[in-house]
Amino acid sequence: MQTDIGAATAMHEKNVHLIRWLTYLMFMMFAMTSDSVGEIIKEVKREFDVSNTQASLMHSLFMIGIAFSGLFLGFLADKFGRKRTIILGLALFALSCYLFLVGSSFEFILGLITLSGLAVGVFKTAALALIGDISRSTKEHTGTMNGAEAFFGVGAIIGPLIVAWMVREGVDWKLLYVLAGGLCTLLILMAWKADYPVQAPPTHGHKPVSFISSLRLLKNPYAMGFSIGAFLYVAAESAIYVWMPSYLVCDAMSVSESFACYTDGPQKMLAMYAVSVFFSLRALGRFVGIWMMQRYNWALVLMLFSLAITLCFIAGLAGGKNVALYAFPLTGVFMSVIYPTFNSKGICCFAKSEHGTVAGVILFFTAAGAAAGPFIMGLVSDAFGGDAKYGFMVATGFSVVLFLGLLYNFVFNPTEKRLREIEAVEYS
């Protein structure tokens, strides 16, 4: 009997590891496309002769698709199960990627970008809910969330590097999406083969799951507090990977002269790969965050890191491009653990049977911040002659408000009691 129990336990642990790796790889796969947008925007502006505002739609429509999906389809993971929802989302994402092979107009590409955003919202909310299913405590949940976002960071490094190589070699940047589609197809097979844990049963008095469940959470202070924090953080973060490449370039039109204003070789190299450096630092910070969040007060860490982000933005604006070249990528260190922790603590304030729905609400505000932030920056930059410096003033404002909110969170810690109650009921 003990042998059977031991074998069953070992099989369960093996399956949990498989599920965790599937989640990590899903995050890495879609990051390859979503966080390459800053590099892609430069090529789109040249290829289709569009303005900053028009080019920013490559990012904004993707995020609008995620936002709509998160709010109105996030309940699917709770209603129909994690496995079915993940496979559905991955299939839609793969389809949108493969269709880049036949699209050539700017409008058609924007349509595919929107479809891929809808797909990401579907499978990501299910993946976030799945993290709750395999976690044994709120601390473990936060660690696993940092792991997932760390692999997202790895994909965010790989994607821009591939695009930079494609541009240098004269390869069409659209093939990046075809590559992502191929990886997505492999993940569909993995998701189909995996043995998912049984979902937590609904708590007593739990109402039927539908998109109304998502709308109901808009009145919940815990869901809204972390959602607004996610909005502000992502609005500031996306400023780096969307508009930093445009801010750092010189006043030259040709690709070969884009960084002529940096006088030495290392500076030119850093300017060319600044987004990859940012993502590398962010990914490294998230791997460290898996360890950090098990040992330190998460509210204190987030408050101090948000202050450091604000100071980096101010330094990059006050010191000009030569200072921004170092200060802006450095924000990756301090941005690393903020979003995964927002996501984890926000989701952990609710029963596991609601994790898909609340993940969808937070994802809605995440995507709304990622869509609105760069778009507003593009509008402001165009209003002042196209200089991205003015857009970064807006991003600095987002980071200041984020710091003030996290300072309040550290001083008053409004979620401490709620997290203890959920820990006792859901993770005991």
Side-chain angles (χ1 to χ4, degrees):
M1 179 66 71
Q2 288 181 342
T3 303
D4 292 340
I5 294 174
T9 302
M11 182 63 69
H12 172 73
E13 289 297 322
K14 181 178 180 180
N15 191 58
V16 166
H17 285 305
L18 176 62
I19 292 292
R20 186 174 283 114
W21 274 102
L22 172 63
T23 304
Y24 290 169
L25 291 174
M26 281 192 288
F27 275 65
M28 185 182 77
M29 179 271 302
F30 88 83
M32 287 174 57
T33 57
S34 66
D35 283 17
S36 299
V37 69
E39 299 295 331
I40 291 173
I41 280 177
K42 291 194 299 182
E43 302 309 309
V44 167
K45 286 168 65 177
R46 293 188 180 97
E47 183 175 342
F48 298 102
D49 191 26
V50 294
S51 68
N52 286 329
T53 303
Q54 291 171 314
S56 69
L57 291 174
M58 290 288 293
H59 179 72
S60 297
L61 288 178
F62 177 74
M63 292 300 168
I64 288 171
I66 294 179
F68 179 91
S69 186
L71 186 61
F72 294 102
L73 302 178
F75 72 94
L76 294 178
D78 294 330
K79 188 175 182 67
F80 298 109
R82 320 307 195 205
K83 184 171 188 173
R84 291 178 180 177
T85 308
I86 285 174
I87 291 175
L88 171 63
L90 289 175
L92 288 175
F93 188 82
L95 175 64
S96 68
C97 288
Y98 289 135
L99 286 175
F100 272 88
L101 287 169
V102 299
S104 58
S105 71
F106 183 60
E107 292 76 13
F108 184 77
I109 289 172
L110 290 180
L112 296 182
I113 288 292
T114 306
L115 176 61
S116 66
L118 288 168
V120 167
V122 172
F123 75 72
K124 186 176 180 181
T125 50
L128 292 172
L130 192 58
I131 291 175
D133 295 342
I134 64 175
S135 297
R136 294 165 294 185
S137 68
T138 55
K139 280 193 172 183
E140 183 179 312
H141 189 284
T142 303
T144 302
M145 192 71 75
N146 271 278
E149 293 292 345
F151 275 86
F152 182 94
V154 172
I157 297 167
I158 296 172
L161 285 174
I162 292 175
V163 174
W165 175 84
M166 287 178 170
V167 172
R168 189 171 63 249
E169 298 298 322
V171 179
D172 192 344
W173 57 267
K174 300 182 190 69
L175 292 180
L176 173 71
Y177 287 90
V178 180
L179 175 61
L183 294 176
C184 190
T185 302
L186 293 177
L187 289 176
I188 291 172
L189 295 176
M190 287 181 62
W192 178 58
K193 288 288 187 180
D195 184 17
Y196 287 59
V198 177
Q199 288 179 223
T203 55
H204 179 69
H206 182 72
K207 297 181 181 180
V209 177
S210 69
F211 79 93
I212 299 298
S213 305
S214 300
L215 299 180
R216 192 179 298 119
L217 285 177
L218 296 178
K219 299 179 181 180
N220 185 285
Y222 299 108
M224 287 305 299
F226 285 105
S227 294
I228 293 171
F231 177 96
L232 292 169
Y233 163 75
V234 175
E237 180 202 48
S238 58
I240 297 293
Y241 65 82
V242 175
W243 290 119
M244 181 172 62
S246 298
Y247 179 65
L248 294 179
V249 297
C250 307
D251 298 325
M253 297 303 294
S254 67
V255 177
S256 61
E257 297 177 353
S258 293
F259 305 108
C261 53
Y262 301 103
T263 55
D264 58 58
Q267 276 195 331
K268 289 182 180 179
M269 187 64 67
L270 179 56
M272 186 176 298
Y273 293 102
V275 172
S276 295
V277 172
F278 165 75
F279 285 138
S280 298
L281 293 174
R282 193 184 65 174
L284 179 62
R286 283 175 176 170
F287 281 113
V288 175
I290 300 172
W291 171 85
M292 183 186 300
M293 287 304 170
Q294 306 296 317
R295 291 165 175 79
Y296 297 104
N297 181 343
W298 66 274
L300 174 61
V301 172
L302 265 57
M303 185 269 291
L304 292 176
F305 278 23
S306 65
L307 174 61
I309 293 168
T310 300
L311 294 176
C312 285
F313 274 129
I314 293 173
L317 286 173
K321 294 181 180 182
N322 285 302
V323 175
L325 181 63
Y326 301 97
F328 286 177
L330 183 61
T331 60
V333 173
F334 307 113
M335 290 183 177
S336 58
V337 297
I338 293 180
Y339 181 69
T341 306
F342 272 154
N343 235 337
S344 175
K345 299 305 181 186
I347 291 171
C348 285
C349 283
F350 296 85
K352 288 186 178 182
S353 59
E354 297 179 289
H355 278 192
T357 306
V358 68
V361 172
I362 296 174
L363 186 59
F364 168 79
F365 282 91
T366 298
F375 186 73
I376 293 171
M377 288 179 66
L379 288 175
V380 172
S381 296
D382 284 342
F384 288 90
D387 191 341
K389 174 182 68 176
Y390 297 98
F392 270 99
M393 292 179 182
V394 177
T396 304
F398 289 134
S399 69
V400 169
V401 178
L402 175 66
F403 164 68
L404 294 175
L406 286 171
L407 178 62
Y408 172 88
N409 179 69
F410 170 67
V411 173
F412 296 101
N413 203 358
T415 61
E416 182 179 13
K417 181 180 178 181
R418 176 67 174 174
L419 289 172
R420 282 203 310 265
E421 292 172 351
I422 292 293
E423 180 96 40
V425 175
E426 296 288 326
Y427 297 93
S428 58

